[in-house]
Amino acid sequence: MQTLSYRHWVGRLVSQEELRLMLALLVLLVVLLAIGGVLPRLSDGPVVLVWVLLWLPLLGLLFWRRRLARRAWLRVYLRDTSPWSARLRGGVLMLLGQALLAAVFALALLLSLARGIAPSVWVVLILSVPLWSKVWTLAGRGLQRHASPEFLPVTAGRAVVWASGIVLVLGLGIRSLWQPVPDLGEVTLYDTVRHYAAEQDVRSTVLGGLLSVFAVLEGVPHWLAQHWFDGLPGLGLKVIAWMVVLVREWLFVWPLLLLCAAVSHMVYRHEHRHEPGHSGP
């Protein structure tokens, strides 16, 4: 009786779908953490393979969302009987566009993992898994009265991603204000670029070159901040400007949230539905 009562109590707090989602997200975070640990020791081929593995779920999510957005647009402006409804619903060109966007997100995530994410950030992400799972369920229930049933999954997913992204970026921004930064006040911009572009300690030449470019793109704003931000009016504006410069993980957050959204959609089986009157995808 005690076992049955305990299971009943747990079942009321967390559904089976939420448990599966939590497990899937934990596996995702563990895999990403492992990838970040082995990337510096990988050669070019395995690095490209990891990039492809990150790219595929992002492509699936972005293409699915873009097709739904196009479908909603067509229903507003075109009749269902119009042949342009089928011609404009999204095909190769849309797939190529979303593939390019997914490739950029996957590359940003790959470089962020290769550079290393602070352990405290991983701890926060792992502890946030139950919250993400519950919020994902509550967002779907809360929007049932407002969103179209056909577009409810993507609407709820976007809401969770945006809310989570804002909270994470703000949290990382506040955290960054207490992180040490290199003193570039007496250094020229040229020396700063040379310092940040120094050879990266990785085996892959491709990854090393990309990390050098990535490091330069981080170092230049640091140099500009230490030379120009003192002239900004008001303390609040200075704090916001420094937060934008100091948040190292901002290119990591958005691709990660998109991956979490892709996993969430797969767990909840929010599959792409065919348009009425069409037999193909």
Side-chain angles (χ1 to χ4, degrees):
M1 293 297 295
Q2 291 181 351
T3 303
L4 292 177
S5 175
Y6 173 76
R7 290 180 178 177
H8 179 71
W9 178 74
V10 172
R12 294 185 60 181
L13 291 178
V14 183
S15 65
Q16 292 295 324
E17 289 80 7
E18 290 172 352
L19 286 174
R20 288 198 295 266
L21 179 55
M22 284 190 282
L23 179 60
L25 292 176
L26 286 174
V27 170
L28 173 64
L29 292 177
V30 170
V31 169
L32 292 178
L33 183 59
I35 289 174
V38 301
L39 271 176
R41 301 190 296 271
L42 297 180
S43 58
D44 290 341
V47 167
V48 174
L49 178 60
V50 170
W51 173 75
V52 171
L53 293 177
L54 296 175
W55 170 69
L56 287 176
L58 292 173
L59 171 60
L61 174 69
L62 294 177
F63 184 61
W64 174 69
R65 295 199 320 186
R66 190 72 187 100
R67 291 262 293 186
L68 286 179
R70 176 67 62 82
R71 188 191 306 176
W73 182 85
L74 290 175
R75 290 184 180 177
V76 171
Y77 291 100
L78 295 179
R79 296 178 180 270
D80 293 339
T81 55
S82 172
W84 286 102
S85 295
R87 297 171 184 171
L88 298 177
R89 60 181 177 171
V92 175
L93 290 180
M94 181 184 289
L95 179 62
L96 291 176
Q98 298 308 304
L100 179 60
L101 183 59
V104 174
F105 280 131
L107 181 61
L109 182 58
L110 180 75
L111 295 178
S112 298
L113 292 173
R115 296 180 67 203
I117 303 298
S120 58
V121 176
W122 286 112
V123 171
V124 171
L125 292 175
I126 292 173
L127 294 178
S128 301
V129 165
L131 181 61
W132 171 282
S133 179
K134 180 58 68 174
V135 170
W136 189 273
T137 302
L138 294 177
R141 293 174 183 173
L143 291 172
Q144 280 182 342
R145 295 177 52 192
H146 309 285
S148 168
E150 185 177 6
F151 302 104
L152 176 60
V154 69
T155 303
R158 282 180 177 272
V160 175
V161 169
W162 274 100
S164 303
I166 292 173
V167 171
L168 278 176
V169 170
L170 285 178
L172 291 171
I174 295 173
R175 166 184 169 273
S176 67
L177 295 177
W178 280 267
Q179 301 298 312
V181 296
D183 185 7
L184 305 175
E186 303 297 329
V187 180
T188 65
L189 180 59
Y190 175 74
D191 291 334
T192 300
V193 171
R194 288 188 58 188
H195 171 73
Y196 277 89
E199 184 177 354
Q200 304 294 319
D201 187 19
V202 294
R203 181 180 177 186
S204 170
T205 56
V206 174
L207 184 60
L210 291 173
L211 285 174
S212 296
V213 174
F214 199 55
V216 169
L217 294 178
E218 178 191 21
V220 171
H222 275 268
W223 185 90
L224 295 174
Q226 295 186 30
H227 285 78
W228 290 358
F229 282 5
D230 288 340
L232 293 177
L235 178 61
L237 185 58
K238 291 180 181 179
V239 170
I240 294 175
W242 270 109
M243 286 175 61
V244 172
V245 171
L246 294 177
V247 176
R248 293 185 54 200
E249 296 88 358
W250 68 275
L251 283 176
F252 168 72
V253 168
W254 201 252
L256 174 64
L257 292 178
L258 290 177
L259 273 181
C260 292
V263 170
S264 302
H265 282 296
M266 287 188 289
V267 170
Y268 277 79
R269 299 175 183 175
H270 294 157
E271 299 175 351
H272 177 76
R273 295 180 234 177
H274 301 315
E275 294 87 340
H278 299 293
S279 59

